[in-house]
């Protein structure tokens, strides 16, 4: 990052200024030892390996494959999943990893979330015993990387009842036709979880499709994104792809089962949004401690402190909310509406927080080198992916009124 040279004539502070700390209510103190150890491990990885290089990759729209061996070394593949070579651990641990990653870079958190949450999660929740034994161990070792193909060019929010991708059974083979859009990791990964409607019963079914060896499967990388640029999103075309029945997720009967996966990944986005806001806040706060205007550090101005306090309040509220959500999960009580409320609230607060961070860094706030612009742009993706703000609120609205507003 460019340095903010302190003018030689400016007074030094009477005592050293505090290091930015976005854990104001000391939630880390409450973590069990195993979770705390993982937080420290992931934080060190993100600060020492990812932070120094990620802005360059973000600017270049490229994925840092050089980091994959170190990600493997973290031993977090299959976190919160039991057996099948997975890391195991709690949903709290899963959330904390996502938060710590997003605190430095939302794209890396998303890469982790798509592979571990959406792709492995689909097999873990929707696969048969044989399917789990076959696919989860190499995925937990990051030898096979996955993606999750639900959204289509013409169908986003309405995916539950409107998928146009079709699956037609012919003996022990399924013929899949259609298009998927926005699919993270798909331009280079190994396995796609493809959601399609079965033309026979009109229900949504899930399929494990091998990207590199299935004739008729092609992917085009999406270009010119203005956010989450490190994640490689693709537009997938499936043209008469023949997928064996043994690759149909055997426990998936309808979109309700897809929603079980989305509940866990929306849970995770709540953590990611909290981490994203923390990263932007910490970088902006440091800037206000170092930047001089009118002969003073801008952090000493009342209106600047007002914004910082509001940012910290957003972050602290989000942290408390996602930690409580983890408790609900541990008690077996987490509902779709709980996850939806957290996804909507934390992403909205994140969006507000990163915008204030951008504001505090002035013009430099739109230069990627100052480590705030990346969070600012990436927050937009969090707000919309895994179901938009409006879709989450409709899920909550249905739960609290007993009335569905979905059309
Ligand atoms: C960076 C990024 C990564 C993504 N990664 C993946 C991925 O890996 N896999 C995947 O399957 N998808 C992925 N997505 C897709 C994402 O889930 C969709 O973008 C999202 O669900 C919204 O769909 P849409 O973009 O088609 O918007 P639309 O559904 O067209 O919505 C446009 C606007 O209309 C509003 N709207 C729509 N219907 C209603 C209604 N009934 N009431 C009120 N408002 C409504 C929406 O809230 C939104 O504001 C990704 C998206 C992004 C941006």
């Amino acid at each position: 990052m460019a340095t903010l040279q302190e003018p030689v004539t400016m007074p030094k502070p009477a005592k050293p200024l505090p290091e930015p700390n976005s854990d104001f209510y000391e939630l880390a103190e409450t973590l069990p030892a195993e979770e705390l150890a993982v937080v420290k491990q992931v934080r060190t990885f993100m600060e020492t390996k990812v932070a120094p290089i990620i802005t360059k990759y973000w600017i270049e729209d490229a994925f840092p494959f050089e980091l994959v061996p170190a990600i493997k070394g973290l031993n977090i593949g299959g976190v919160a999943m039991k057996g099948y070579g997975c890391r195991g651990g709690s949903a709290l641990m899963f959330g904390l990893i996502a938060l710590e990653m997003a605190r430095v870079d939302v794209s890396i958190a998303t890469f982790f979330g798509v592979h571990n949450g959406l792709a492995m999660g689909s097999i873990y929740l929707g696969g048969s015993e044989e399917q789990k034994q076959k696919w989860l161990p190499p995925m937990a070792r990051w030898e096979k990387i996955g993606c999750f193909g639900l959204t289509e060019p013409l169908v986003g929010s309405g995916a539950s009842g409107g998928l146009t991708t079709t699956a037609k059974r012919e003996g022990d083979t399924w013929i899949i036709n259609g298009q998927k859009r926005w699919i993270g990791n798909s331009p280079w990964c190994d396995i796609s979880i493809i959601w399609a409607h079965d033309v026979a019963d009109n229900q949504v079914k899930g399929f494990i499709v091998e990207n590199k060896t299935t004739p008729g499967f092609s992917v085009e990388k999406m270009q010119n994104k203005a956010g989450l640029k490190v994640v490689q999103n693709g537009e997938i075309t499936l043209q008469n792809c023949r997928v064996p029945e043994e690759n149909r997720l055997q426990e998936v009967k309808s979109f309700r089962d897809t929603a079980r996966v989305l509940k866990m990944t929306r849970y995770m986005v709540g953590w990611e949004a909290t981490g994203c806001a923390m990263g932007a806040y910490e970088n902006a706060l440091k800037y206000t401690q170092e930047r001089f205007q009118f002969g003073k550090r801008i952090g000493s101005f009342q209106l600047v402190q007002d914004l910082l306090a509001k940012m910290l309040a957003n972050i602290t509220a989000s942290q408390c909310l996602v930690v409580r959500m983890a408790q609900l999960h541990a008690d077996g009580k987490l509902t779709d509406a709980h996850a939806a409320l957290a996804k909507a609230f934390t992403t909205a607060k994140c969006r507000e927080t990163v915008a204030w961070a951008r504001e505090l860094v002035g013009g430099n706030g739109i230069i990627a080198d100052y480590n705030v612009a990346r969070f600012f742009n990436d927050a937009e993706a969090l707000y919309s992916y895994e179901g938009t703000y409006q879709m989450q609120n409709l899920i909550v609205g249905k739960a609290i009124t007993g009335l569905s507003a979905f059309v």
Side-chain angles (χ1 to χ4, degrees):
M1 172 173 143
T3 53
L4 293 170
Q5 277 297 327
E6 189 176 314
V8 277
T9 51
M10 295 304 171
K12 294 258 180 256
K15 54 180 183 179
L17 299 175
E19 282 291 313
N21 171 19
S22 52
D23 184 12
F24 197 58
Y25 277 20
E26 301 183 0
L27 277 173
E29 303 271 305
T30 68
L31 298 179
E34 196 192 355
E35 275 75 1
L36 191 57
V38 172
V39 164
K40 286 188 177 154
Q41 184 198 16
V42 174
R43 180 170 286 211
T44 303
F45 163 72
M46 292 304 293
E47 288 180 347
T48 59
K49 301 273 194 282
V50 179
I53 60 168
I54 203 67
T55 300
K56 177 174 169 286
Y57 279 101
W58 192 85
I59 291 167
E60 291 173 357
D61 242 338
F63 185 79
F65 290 101
E66 63 178 284
L67 290 174
V68 175
I71 294 175
K72 283 183 189 172
L74 290 171
N75 183 26
I76 54 173
V79 67
M81 296 174 198
K82 289 197 188 82
Y84 315 105
C86 294
R87 167 63 192 256
S90 62
L92 176 65
M93 189 190 283
F94 181 39
L96 286 163
I97 292 170
L99 175 143
E100 283 300 331
M101 287 182 164
R103 180 180 154 269
V104 172
D105 184 58
V106 179
S107 294
I108 297 296
T110 300
F111 164 65
F112 165 73
V114 168
H115 173 69
N116 200 116
L118 286 167
M120 290 183 75
S122 296
I123 297 172
Y124 188 72
L125 294 173
S128 64
E129 186 55 32
E130 294 74 39
Q131 289 174 325
K132 290 186 219 182
Q133 277 177 12
K134 175 173 178 186
W135 297 101
L136 291 177
M139 293 178 87
R141 292 192 299 268
W142 303 85
E143 287 165 11
K144 289 219 177 286
I145 304 291
C147 72
F148 179 89
L150 177 64
T151 309
E152 301 180 349
L154 299 179
V155 185
S157 301
S160 59
L163 289 184
T164 63
T165 299
T166 56
K168 186 167 184 280
R169 187 165 182 168
E170 283 182 10
D172 276 346
T173 303
W174 291 83
I175 317 295
I176 304 182
N177 279 290
Q179 273 189 309
K180 297 288 171 184
R181 181 169 159 82
W182 280 116
I183 311 309
N185 301 347
S186 65
W188 58 272
C189 75
D190 308 289
I191 298 164
S192 297
I193 306 296
I194 295 292
W195 301 93
H197 87 261
D198 178 352
V199 291
D201 65 6
N202 215 25
Q203 294 297 336
V204 170
K205 305 222 155 81
F207 299 88
I208 303 167
V209 181
E210 296 189 67
N211 296 21
K212 292 168 183 163
T213 54
T214 305
F217 184 98
S218 59
V219 191
E220 210 167 302
K221 178 185 160 179
M222 289 175 66
Q223 305 289 348
N224 306 332
K225 283 190 309 174
L228 214 66
K229 288 156 64 70
V230 172
V231 176
Q232 308 292 290
N233 292 87
E235 190 150 318
I236 296 176
T237 301
L238 300 120
Q239 205 171 13
N240 291 322
C241 285
R242 299 176 72 83
V243 177
E245 160 64 9
E246 66 181 46
N247 280 22
R248 179 180 63 78
L249 291 173
Q250 299 291 318
E251 300 304 321
V252 170
K253 308 287 180 233
S254 71
F255 191 81
R256 273 178 190 282
D257 297 308
T258 321
R260 286 166 59 217
V261 182
L262 293 174
K263 175 172 85 173
M264 279 317 289
T265 52
R266 285 168 182 163
Y267 163 93
M268 186 200 59
V269 179
W271 289 87
E272 285 179 346
T274 307
C276 174
M278 289 165 67
Y281 163 79
E282 290 178 18
N283 284 307
L285 170 54
K286 190 146 192 59
Y287 188 91
T288 68
Q289 291 172 315
E290 293 172 355
R291 172 81 172 170
F292 280 77
Q293 287 299 295
F294 300 97
K296 290 181 162 187
R297 290 166 205 274
I298 62 170
S300 69
F301 296 132
Q302 292 182 351
L303 295 178
V304 168
Q305 291 191 3
D306 176 61
L307 284 185
L308 289 168
K310 289 195 289 195
M311 291 160 79
L312 187 58
N314 277 353
I315 289 166
T316 307
S318 297
Q319 288 167 336
C320 292
L321 189 149
V322 292
V323 167
R324 174 62 188 144
M325 191 167 52
Q327 292 168 351
L328 286 170
H329 183 277
D331 292 344
K333 289 199 226 160
L334 186 77
T335 64
D336 287 345
H338 288 140
L341 185 80
K343 201 268 177 186
F345 179 83
T346 56
T347 56
K349 291 296 159 192
C350 172
R351 208 179 182 208
E352 193 174 55
T353 306
V354 298
W356 285 332
R358 211 291 305 151
E359 190 175 334
L360 286 175
V361 183
N364 289 332
I366 61 165
I367 296 180
D369 303 330
Y370 284 83
N371 269 335
V372 168
R374 192 161 39 83
F375 291 101
F376 177 77
N377 286 30
D378 291 352
E380 290 301 307
L382 293 174
Y383 188 69
S384 291
Y385 75 26
E386 308 265 348
T388 66
Y389 181 79
Q390 288 75 18
M391 291 306 110
Q392 309 306 327
N393 281 350
L394 293 182
I395 293 168
V396 176
K398 183 178 170 191
I400 59 179
T401 64
L403 304 167
S404 173
F406 288 104
V407 282

